[in-house]
Amino acid sequence: MSGGIPLRSITAVAAISLLALASFGTVLVLEIPVTADEALHHAENVSDPGEVYLWKCPTSDGSSYTLERLELDIPTHDKSDILRVPTVFVPVPILLVDSEDPCVIQVAEHILSKTEGYSDYLKIAAALYFVQSAIRYTSDQALYGCHEFWASPCETLHFHKGDCEDTSVLLMSILGAMGYDSVLLDYDGHEAVGVRQGDQPAPDYLYCETASDELMKPDSGTATVFQPSTSPERLPH
């Protein structure tokens, strides 16, 4: 797969002849290009974007949480020039991580204001809880009308929805704006986030699952680690 546009699949049946149509046919899967504008228009039609985000913020001792409220005015962004689907050279959406997006910065500042005096672990947990509770997991097919579509952080915030790579890109962007280093963990098609802990030469990562409420790392599987602005490589995690 190449290029920067998502694809949708349609199924067609090719018959040998009209007489054989009822008894014999070949199923063909055709890849029809879908522009980013089409995908985003589909998302607008199936979503009810709002400006209010309700999320669960951990308490200072980590024993419970409070329900917090954030209002954001998400502007319309022209992202037509960014990569939207995997390619041989860019298999995961690491290039979409953007800690300088104004909306991402607002989220980061809000989380930091609610976690003043917290440990680093709980501040990271708060960012994860924001993504888990304020963004609803939704497949690309349901939201964007195509099999694969990479959303920018502001788009995921705008629609309040996204799948594992969209929410992982959003979390990495928020964490970067909060001052934390993170990496994208690719488990052969499933994306999660690792947040670096400490300054050791061999980095230790705190696993963050954005597609569910689980904080623990999967029991099995080796992740390929992607660092922002670098090439992928295998790293301990």
Side-chain angles (χ1 to χ4, degrees), residues 23-93:
S23 60
F24 183 79
T26 302
V27 176
L28 303 175
V29 177
L30 306 178
E31 300 291 351
I32 306 299
V34 178
T35 67
D37 286 341
E38 286 180 300
L40 293 171
H41 181 69
H42 183 279
E44 289 283 0
N45 288 336
V46 300
S47 300
D48 184 20
E51 299 178 351
V52 177
Y53 299 78
L54 300 177
W55 65 286
K56 299 176 180 179
C57 181
T59 56
S60 59
D61 61 1
S63 63
S64 184
Y65 65 85
T66 60
L67 190 61
E68 300 294 339
R69 184 177 188 273
L70 171 64
E71 290 191 24
L72 281 179
D73 181 15
I74 308 291
T76 300
H77 288 232
D78 180 10
K79 296 289 185 179
S80 59
D81 59 336
I82 63 176
L83 191 66
R84 295 300 194 167
V85 293
T87 69
V88 173
F89 302 103
V90 187
V92 295

Side-chain angles (χ1 to χ4, degrees), residues 78-132:
D78 180 10
K79 296 289 185 179
S80 59
D81 59 336
I82 63 176
L83 191 66
R84 295 300 194 167
V85 293
T87 69
V88 173
F89 302 103
V90 187
V92 295
I94 189 68
L95 299 179
L96 273 71
V97 175
D98 185 1
S99 297
E100 297 181 356
D101 183 278
C103 296
V104 169
I105 292 174
Q106 288 183 62
V107 173
E109 290 177 344
H110 170 73
I111 294 172
L112 288 172
S113 71
K114 299 297 180 181
T115 57
E116 185 175 357
Y118 281 29
S119 66
D120 285 335
Y121 176 87
L122 285 176
K123 288 181 179 180
I124 293 168
L128 175 60
Y129 291 171
F130 175 87
V131 173
Q132 289 176 337

Side-chain angles (χ1 to χ4, degrees), residues 81-186:
D81 59 336
I82 63 176
L83 191 66
R84 295 300 194 167
V85 293
T87 69
V88 173
F89 302 103
V90 187
V92 295
I94 189 68
L95 299 179
L96 273 71
V97 175
D98 185 1
S99 297
E100 297 181 356
D101 183 278
C103 296
V104 169
I105 292 174
Q106 288 183 62
V107 173
E109 290 177 344
H110 170 73
I111 294 172
L112 288 172
S113 71
K114 299 297 180 181
T115 57
E116 185 175 357
Y118 281 29
S119 66
D120 285 335
Y121 176 87
L122 285 176
K123 288 181 179 180
I124 293 168
L128 175 60
Y129 291 171
F130 175 87
V131 173
Q132 289 176 337
S133 53
I135 306 299
R136 183 189 309 170
Y137 180 86
T138 308
S139 69
D140 285 336
Q141 189 67 57
L143 181 56
Y144 294 107
C146 50
H147 175 67
E148 189 71 28
F149 185 87
W150 290 347
S152 67
C154 65
E155 288 165 350
T156 301
L157 284 170
H158 174 67
F159 294 118
H160 295 241
K161 297 177 181 179
D163 64 2
C164 62
E165 74 262 11
D166 301 328
T167 51
S168 293
V169 165
L170 175 59
L171 178 59
M172 288 185 66
S173 301
I174 294 171
L175 288 169
M178 293 172 62
Y180 295 104
D181 293 330
S182 61
V183 294
L184 188 67
L185 305 176
D186 177 36

